[in-house]
Amino acid sequence: MLEQVEIRRRIRAAMALADISSWDELARRVPLSRSTVKDLGTPRGRAEETHLRVIAAACDVPYSWFTVPDLRAAVAREDEEPSLVERVEALEGRIEAITKQLSAGGM
């Protein structure tokens, strides 16, 4: 399994793809407690397989989104439309930019 830091990043990316704007909104879409979902967004939260499976379903991404090292491999399918790969690449770039911005700001 991936490191928790990477899993948190991927949860946020899945939420963005699903147009879920907050941890509260995600909590309303999954059968997990609000506090569990909110903890997953912090370093103290530990995402378990069961958490990731329901989040994957709610965000309409495959479970492999949270398990494979190469995110492109998680969404690759033979009949895949190029637009999904492009969206994932764009999203990864945006998340990287936000992460750098937050790091520069001391957050």
Side-chain angles (χ1 to χ4, degrees):
M1 187 174 273
L2 300 171
E3 296 289 326
Q4 290 294 313
V5 170
E6 177 63 13
I7 290 173
R8 276 193 301 280
R9 187 179 80 80
R10 291 193 187 191
I11 291 172
R12 287 185 189 102
M15 289 169 59
L17 283 171
D19 201 26
I20 298 173
S21 60
S22 70
W23 294 99
D24 284 327
E25 185 178 348
L26 178 62
R28 287 190 295 273
R29 296 185 186 200
V30 296
L32 301 171
S33 72
R34 182 174 170 260
S35 63
T36 296
V37 172
K38 290 184 108 176
D39 281 351
L40 293 177
T42 70
R44 73 174 173 262
R46 305 259 335 140
E48 304 289 333
E49 178 185 354
T50 54
H51 300 141
L52 297 175
R53 288 195 181 277
V54 297
I55 292 169
C59 295
D60 199 26
V61 297
Y63 171 68
S64 60
W65 179 272
F66 302 112
T67 61
V68 299
D70 179 8
L71 192 53
R72 279 177 275 248
V75 297
R77 292 181 7 203
E78 289 182 25
D79 64 341
E80 180 178 6
E81 295 180 26
S83 62
L84 180 56
V85 171
E86 291 168 3
R87 286 177 61 201
V88 169
E89 289 173 352
L91 185 57
E92 285 179 324
R94 183 68 181 129
I95 289 171
E96 184 177 334
I98 291 170
T99 302
K100 286 180 183 177
Q101 188 178 32
L102 289 174
S103 295
M107 296 184 138

